[in-house]
């Protein structure tokens, strides 16, 4: 408003000067009229140009600023949502170590930790808490050595987080597995600890393009979050026993060695699949971005039989 008032005053001043100049320099109205008219018209044109330039310079930037601010607020809300999603879901994810006992002269096979050198880590994987009684769901191929062990030297160490946020380690006992669907269930002793089970979602209403998140322990790095979208549905992938797992979820959320058995979750923190496989670039071992998860609807059908009977549904009927 101040700038506009100043410009109005400037315009009036220019016009007054033009009138004054034309009046004082012309001896008679008859001879000076054309020149005075041209001078006034030039003055008006000049004043209009100046006014237009200043108005353009002082254009209110509020609309563009508000638009940029709205975009920034939306991005911050999105970011905060992902942070909260991880904080609420990660306590339900576990770190699994596949161990082999090292024989010693005393012939004991007890194991509580790998720190004393009584066992060597042969592989790592992920899993998630199925219920408060200590059942853990993971991939069969993560614990395949334990499931087929005949030497008595294989062990499984599970790192968990309790309801108070404290880390602790327990030995995982395998109670059931189904190689056809690459699923297995471990059981840990929960005496003195309270667990936070994962919240299960559904996979029959997924859509290509919706956001998804993978939480696991790639290459042994605990509590790693990767983000992406559902890239495809109804895929077919090979199982450890050579058969096909149908209906798999394809995602571009990075899944690498150690992510296997961990949960694929949606934007609400609900488990929609069990991360199980990735295509790697030949000779590099690097994920190609084509990753797969066993749909949770399939998992829900298989796991209860493994918990109760220790064998797959197909083995009983």
């Amino acid at each position: 408003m101040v700038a506009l008032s100043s410009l109005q005053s400037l315009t009036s001043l220019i016009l007054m000067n033009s009138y004054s100049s034309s009046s004082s320099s012309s001896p008679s109205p008859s001879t000076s009229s054309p020149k005075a008219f041209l001078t006034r018209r030039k003055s008006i044109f000049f004043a209009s140009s100046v006014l237009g330039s200043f108005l353009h310079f002082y254009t209110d930037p509020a609309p563009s600023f508000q638009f940029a601010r709205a975009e920034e607020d939306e991005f911050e809300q999105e970011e905060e949502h992902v942070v909260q999603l991880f904080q609420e879901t990660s306590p339900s994810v576990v770190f699994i170590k596949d161990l082999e006992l090292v024989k010693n002269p005393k012939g004991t096979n007890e194991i509580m930790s790998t720190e004393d050198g009584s066992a060597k880590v042969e592989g790592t994987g992920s899993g998630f808490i199925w219920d408060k009684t200590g059942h853990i769901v993971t991939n069969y191929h993560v614990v395949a050595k334990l499931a087929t062990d005949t030497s008595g030297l294989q062990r499984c160490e599970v790192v968990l987080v309790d309801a108070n946020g404290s880390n602790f380690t327990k030995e995982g006992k395998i109670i059931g597995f189904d190689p056809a669907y690459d699923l297995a269930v471990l059981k840990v002793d929960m005496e003195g600890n309270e667990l936070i089970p994962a919240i299960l979602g559904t996979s029959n209403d997924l859509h290509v393009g919706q956001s998804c998140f993978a939480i696991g322990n790639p290459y042994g790095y605990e509590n790693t979050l990767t983000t992406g979208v559902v890239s495809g549905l109804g895929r077919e992938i090979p199982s450890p026993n050579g058969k096909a797992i149908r209906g798999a979820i394809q995602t571009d959320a990075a899944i690498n060695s150690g992510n296997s058995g961990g949960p694929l979750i949606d934007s609400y923190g609900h488990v929609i699949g069990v991360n199980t496989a990735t295509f790697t670039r030949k000779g590099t071992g690097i994920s190609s971005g084509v990753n797969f998860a066993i749909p949770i609807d399939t998992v829900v059908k298989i796991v209860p039989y493994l918990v109760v009977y220790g064998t797959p549904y197909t083995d009983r009927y």
Side-chain angles (χ1 to χ4, degrees), residues 126 210-219 221 223-231 249-265 274-281 285-293:
S126 305
Q210 76 177 72
S211 298
C212 59
F213 310 84
I215 301 178
N217 311 285
Y219 303 109
Y221 291 104
N223 293 325
T224 297
L225 171 73
T226 54
T227 66
V229 298
V230 174
S231 305
I249 303 166
Q250 181 184 335
T251 176
D252 66 346
I255 296 173
N256 291 286
S257 177
N259 273 113
S260 294
L264 184 70
I265 62 175
V274 178
N275 299 318
T276 188
T278 183
F279 282 144
T280 57
R281 296 184 180 91
I286 301 173
S287 173
S288 63
V290 181
N291 312 292
F292 300 97

Side-chain angles (χ1 to χ4, degrees), residues 36-317:
F37 174 75
L38 289 174
T39 302
R40 285 194 298 272
R41 187 169 65 176
K42 288 179 181 178
S43 299
I44 292 170
F45 177 77
F46 173 73
S48 300
S49 300
V50 172
L51 180 61
S53 299
F54 270 81
L55 285 175
H56 177 73
F57 180 77
Y58 282 102
T59 300
D60 185 8
S64 58
F65 173 77
Q66 290 171 356
F67 179 74
R69 182 61 185 172
E71 279 191 328
E72 186 178 334
D73 289 343
E74 185 178 351
F75 177 78
E76 286 179 357
Q77 289 174 4
E78 220 173 275
E79 192 176 62
E80 287 173 4
H81 174 70
V82 175
V83 171
Q84 185 177 2
L85 191 69
F86 174 77
Q87 291 174 343
E88 293 178 351
T89 309
S90 59
S92 301
V93 182
V94 305
F95 183 23
I96 299 173
K97 296 180 183 180
D98 182 22
L99 308 175
E100 183 179 2
L101 295 179
V102 177
K103 288 185 177 181
N104 57 62
K106 296 180 181 180
T108 60
N109 288 334
E110 294 182 1
I111 170 124
M112 293 301 294
S113 170
T114 58
E115 295 177 358
D116 59 2
S118 60
K120 61 179 180 179
V121 179
E122 293 200 322
T124 61
S126 305
F128 61 91
I129 300 169
W130 182 260
D131 56 33
K132 289 188 175 183
T133 61
H135 290 104
I136 308 294
V137 173
T138 186
N139 281 143
Y140 167 76
H141 74 261
V142 172
V143 292
K145 289 184 178 181
L146 178 62
T148 58
D149 178 43
T150 57
S151 67
L153 297 176
Q154 295 295 325
R155 294 291 187 276
C156 181
E157 190 175 86
V158 182
V159 181
L160 312 95
V161 178
D162 65 17
N164 297 319
S166 301
N167 287 1
F168 64 99
T169 301
K170 293 282 186 177
E171 182 178 356
K173 302 286 187 179
I174 190 162
I175 65 167
F177 54 89
D178 187 351
Y181 286 95
D182 198 11
L183 291 171
V185 177
L186 298 172
K187 179 73 166 63
V188 296
D189 179 12
M190 291 317 305
E191 186 178 353
N193 298 101
E194 184 181 352
L195 296 179
I196 303 175
I199 300 174
L200 305 183
T202 60
S203 51
N204 62 358
D205 57 354
L206 296 177
H207 299 282
V208 173
Q210 76 177 72
S211 298
C212 59
F213 310 84
I215 301 178
N217 311 285
Y219 303 109
Y221 291 104
E222 298 179 55
N223 293 325
T224 297
L225 171 73
T226 54
T227 66
V229 298
V230 174
S231 305
L233 297 167
R235 304 307 195 204
E236 189 173 299
I237 59 175
S239 69
N241 69 354
K243 295 183 179 180
I245 301 175
R246 295 181 174 85
I249 303 166
Q250 181 184 335
T251 176
D252 66 346
I255 296 173
N256 291 286
S257 177
N259 273 113
S260 294
L264 184 70
I265 62 175
D266 62 15
S267 297
Y268 299 97
H270 300 165
V271 180
I272 57 174
V274 178
N275 299 318
T276 188
T278 183
F279 282 144
T280 57
R281 296 184 180 91
K282 190 174 181 181
T284 65
I286 301 173
S287 173
S288 63
V290 181
N291 312 292
F292 300 97
I294 303 166
I296 194 62
D297 289 353
T298 300
V299 178
V300 168
K301 291 178 182 178
I302 302 295
V303 168
Y305 282 89
L306 299 183
V307 170
V308 176
Y309 303 111
T311 58
Y313 171 84
T314 52
D315 288 354
R316 300 189 60 78
Y317 296 94

